[in-house]
Tab-separated table of all heavy atoms in Angstrom:
chain	number	residue	atom	x	y	z
A	76	TYR	N	116.669	-8.715	-19.926
A	76	TYR	CA	117.226	-9.767	-20.933
A	76	TYR	C	118.118	-9.025	-22.025
A	76	TYR	O	119.240	-9.385	-22.354
A	76	TYR	CB	116.156	-10.514	-21.591
A	76	TYR	CG	116.672	-11.374	-22.725
A	76	TYR	CD1	117.461	-12.583	-22.528
A	76	TYR	CD2	116.429	-11.131	-24.148
A	76	TYR	CE1	117.852	-13.317	-23.576
A	76	TYR	CE2	116.917	-11.751	-25.124
A	76	TYR	CZ	117.550	-12.931	-24.861
A	76	TYR	OH	118.129	-13.624	-25.948
A	130	VAL	N	102.048	-22.201	-11.572
A	130	VAL	CA	101.147	-22.151	-10.312
A	130	VAL	C	101.625	-23.058	-9.316
A	130	VAL	O	101.999	-24.217	-9.615
A	130	VAL	CB	99.810	-22.463	-10.789
A	130	VAL	CG1	98.912	-22.474	-9.528
A	130	VAL	CG2	99.207	-21.472	-11.812
A	153	THR	N	100.585	-17.918	-6.712
A	153	THR	CA	100.440	-18.822	-5.540
A	153	THR	C	99.313	-18.228	-4.639
A	153	THR	O	98.737	-17.265	-4.987
A	153	THR	CB	101.728	-18.970	-4.844
A	153	THR	OG1	101.562	-19.986	-3.789
A	153	THR	CG2	102.173	-17.548	-4.159
A	174	THR	N	113.709	-12.627	-5.728
A	174	THR	CA	112.353	-11.965	-5.998
A	174	THR	C	112.584	-10.527	-5.989
A	174	THR	O	113.251	-9.840	-5.122
A	174	THR	CB	111.391	-12.406	-4.912
A	174	THR	OG1	111.299	-13.789	-4.857
A	174	THR	CG2	110.002	-11.794	-5.182
A	234	ASP	N	112.566	2.316	11.067
A	234	ASP	CA	112.422	3.606	11.863
A	234	ASP	C	110.934	3.997	12.261
A	234	ASP	O	110.777	5.091	12.845
A	234	ASP	CB	113.145	4.735	11.014
A	234	ASP	CG	112.360	5.091	9.705
A	234	ASP	OD1	111.350	4.361	9.434
A	234	ASP	OD2	112.891	5.819	8.963
A	367	LEU	N	70.469	-8.825	-7.421
A	367	LEU	CA	70.649	-8.962	-6.043
A	367	LEU	C	69.310	-9.265	-5.423
A	367	LEU	O	68.418	-8.375	-5.470
A	367	LEU	CB	71.319	-7.881	-5.354
A	367	LEU	CG	72.845	-7.631	-5.571
A	367	LEU	CD1	73.102	-7.179	-7.079
A	367	LEU	CD2	73.407	-6.567	-4.579
A	466	GLU	N	105.575	-7.564	25.255
A	466	GLU	CA	105.042	-8.400	26.169
A	466	GLU	C	104.274	-9.511	25.482
A	466	GLU	O	104.393	-10.757	25.842
A	466	GLU	CB	104.147	-7.599	27.199
A	466	GLU	CG	103.480	-8.412	28.202
A	466	GLU	CD	102.432	-7.681	29.042
A	466	GLU	OE1	101.970	-6.515	28.509
A	466	GLU	OE2	101.914	-8.130	30.072
A	488	VAL	N	100.345	-31.343	24.945
A	488	VAL	CA	100.633	-30.307	23.973
A	488	VAL	C	102.158	-30.070	24.190
A	488	VAL	O	102.621	-29.802	25.279
A	488	VAL	CB	99.921	-28.917	24.572
A	488	VAL	CG1	100.424	-27.752	23.670
A	488	VAL	CG2	98.434	-29.004	24.427
A	531	GLY	N	68.168	-39.691	23.474
A	531	GLY	CA	69.117	-40.167	22.483
A	531	GLY	C	68.661	-40.317	21.059
A	531	GLY	O	69.347	-40.922	20.228
A	572	PRO	N	62.313	-31.365	22.548
A	572	PRO	CA	61.185	-30.826	21.656
A	572	PRO	C	60.565	-29.642	22.342
A	572	PRO	O	60.320	-29.621	23.588
A	572	PRO	CB	60.283	-31.903	21.454
A	572	PRO	CG	61.091	-33.186	21.788
A	572	PRO	CD	62.102	-32.808	22.841
A	679	ALA	N	77.971	-4.445	15.525
A	679	ALA	CA	78.011	-3.536	16.648
A	679	ALA	C	76.779	-3.855	17.607
A	679	ALA	O	76.969	-3.846	18.958
A	679	ALA	CB	77.785	-2.141	16.215
A	716	PRO	N	59.212	-8.014	35.020
A	716	PRO	CA	60.066	-7.173	35.912
A	716	PRO	C	59.993	-5.629	35.622
A	716	PRO	O	59.851	-5.317	34.408
A	716	PRO	CB	61.441	-7.717	35.869
A	716	PRO	CG	61.583	-8.332	34.583
A	716	PRO	CD	60.168	-8.862	34.212
A	799	THR	N	91.539	-15.527	21.320
A	799	THR	CA	90.143	-15.971	21.109
A	799	THR	C	89.207	-14.867	21.488
A	799	THR	O	88.266	-14.582	20.688
A	799	THR	CB	89.834	-17.250	21.895
A	799	THR	OG1	90.857	-18.234	21.664
A	799	THR	CG2	88.527	-17.728	21.578
A	806	ASP	N	86.614	-8.835	15.815
A	806	ASP	CA	86.498	-9.278	14.435
A	806	ASP	C	85.026	-9.737	14.227
A	806	ASP	O	84.384	-9.414	13.226
A	806	ASP	CB	87.507	-10.348	14.050
A	806	ASP	CG	88.951	-9.780	14.265
A	806	ASP	OD1	89.090	-8.651	14.214
A	806	ASP	OD2	89.868	-10.678	14.180
A	813	ALA	N	80.434	-0.452	19.214
A	813	ALA	CA	79.478	-0.344	20.187
A	813	ALA	C	79.909	0.697	21.235
A	813	ALA	O	79.045	1.574	21.741
A	813	ALA	CB	79.350	-1.685	21.000
Side-chain angles (χ1 to χ4, degrees):
Y76 169 75
V130 176
T153 190
T174 303
D234 63 3
L367 284 71
E466 181 187 13
V488 175
T799 308
D806 300 345

